[in-house]
Amino acid sequence: KLRSLDSHIYLMNYFEKKFRKLRKNIDKNKSLNHMENLDFGHDFIYNQKLKKFILQKKIYLSIASYLGFRPILHRVYFMYSFKKNYLNKDSSQYFHSDYEDLRGIKLFVNLTKISKSNGPFTFINKKISEKIYKNTNYSKNYKKQKRLSDEIIEKYTKKKNWKNNSGNKGDCLMIDTNSCLHFGSRLKKGERVMVCFFFLSPFSYIF
């Protein structure tokens, strides 16, 4: 819970207004995946309050300390999920890791209340994830990367070790998605909206 979000209601209003504008591009009657990643655009660079939020010590210095380098904000985007009647085995609805670097931090800000029924981001900690990587010969090379089923994961860790990002609107999660197996968007009802700030080291292959 970041006090800076509580004290700057402007930021939540800014996120919501931005999302509503992008959401107009989505026609739910078309054949869409369970989730749409809506790019934020680059005008956030000129938003001083948003910049101040990102650069606060609790966020920026924590990420710098973890990565061991001055982090680069690679991308800002909305994660919008809505109910579908199926799970796509090749999608982020199944366990996987990100591949852009050895480490990479994503800061998620909930724009809706999230419970177990509307597809929370679900993850396994780094230590257990490393054990599963080793035992399944999991490759982080995006060309060879595969999704892991729940049944495979349960061979190595119990469901009680699966953590989920349930919480109220405005709650935040910072996680190394390159080191922790995770999935999201398994909705039973409703929808889920988050804004994601993706930080990488200067040595990510993307750069």
Side-chain angles (χ1 to χ4, degrees):
K1 296 182 185 295
L2 295 169
R3 290 182 180 178
S4 52
L5 271 180
D6 296 332
S7 60
H8 294 293
I9 300 300
Y10 166 87
L11 286 179
M12 293 302 289
N13 291 338
Y14 175 72
F15 294 149
E16 290 174 335
K17 183 178 179 181
K18 190 81 173 171
F19 174 72
R20 283 196 299 270
K21 185 176 180 181
L22 288 171
R23 186 176 178 176
K24 289 180 180 179
N25 297 324
I26 295 180
D27 181 354
K28 289 188 181 182
N29 294 321
K30 292 182 179 179
S31 179
L32 290 174
N33 195 355
H34 67 283
M35 179 177 73
E36 289 295 301
N37 285 349
L38 304 174
D39 278 303
F40 208 90
H42 289 95
D43 61 329
F44 72 89
I45 295 172
Y46 307 103
N47 188 303
Q48 295 303 313
K49 289 188 178 181
L50 185 56
K51 191 180 294 185
K52 186 177 180 181
F53 167 72
I54 294 167
L55 293 175
Q56 64 181 292
K57 290 182 179 180
K58 197 168 185 179
I59 294 178
Y60 197 79
L61 292 187
S62 295
I63 296 172
S65 176
Y66 178 77
L67 294 180
F69 302 98
R70 181 178 295 176
I72 293 175
L73 179 57
H74 165 57
R75 191 178 169 210
V76 183
Y77 58 98
F78 290 107
M79 302 187 77
Y80 170 48
S81 307
F82 48 87
K83 180 72 174 72
K84 285 292 181 182
N85 296 321
Y86 60 88
L87 295 182
N88 184 344
K89 291 185 178 180
D90 295 320
S91 76
S92 59
Q93 291 173 297
Y94 280 76
F95 276 105
H96 65 285
S97 287
D98 293 339
Y99 52 80
E100 295 84 358
D101 205 341
L102 295 177
R103 293 179 173 185
I105 293 290
K106 286 184 177 177
L107 166 63
F108 297 111
V109 180
N110 297 350
L111 297 188
T112 54
K113 184 175 181 179
I114 298 175
S115 67
K116 289 186 177 181
S117 65
N118 62 335
F121 177 90
T122 301
F123 61 96
I124 298 171
N125 72 34
K126 186 174 180 178
K127 185 177 180 180
I128 298 175
S129 293
E130 287 176 348
K131 172 186 173 184
I132 297 172
Y133 297 145
K134 183 177 180 180
N135 283 283
T136 60
N137 293 316
Y138 185 86
S139 174
K140 292 189 180 181
N141 184 320
Y142 76 98
K143 292 182 179 179
K144 300 178 181 178
Q145 198 178 59
K146 58 184 178 181
R147 300 316 198 212
L148 299 177
S149 68
D150 293 1
E151 291 73 22
I152 290 175
I153 297 295
E154 287 185 86
K155 289 181 181 179
Y156 304 104
T157 186
K158 296 179 180 179
K159 274 193 174 181
K160 68 179 183 180
N161 293 321
W162 301 10
K163 311 296 182 184
N164 67 73
N165 182 33
S166 298
N168 293 319
K169 176 179 172 181
D171 286 353
C172 303
L173 171 71
M174 276 199 292
I175 181 170
D176 179 357
T177 53
N178 293 60
S179 301
C180 297
L181 286 161
H182 58 275
F183 71 81
S185 299
R186 297 186 187 179
L187 280 79
K188 296 178 182 177
K189 62 181 181 179
E191 60 183 26
R192 183 196 71 173
V193 187
M194 301 187 295
V195 60
C196 177
F197 300 85
F198 192 11
F199 296 87
L200 293 167
S201 84
F203 299 99
S204 165
Y205 85 89
I206 283 179
F207 307 128

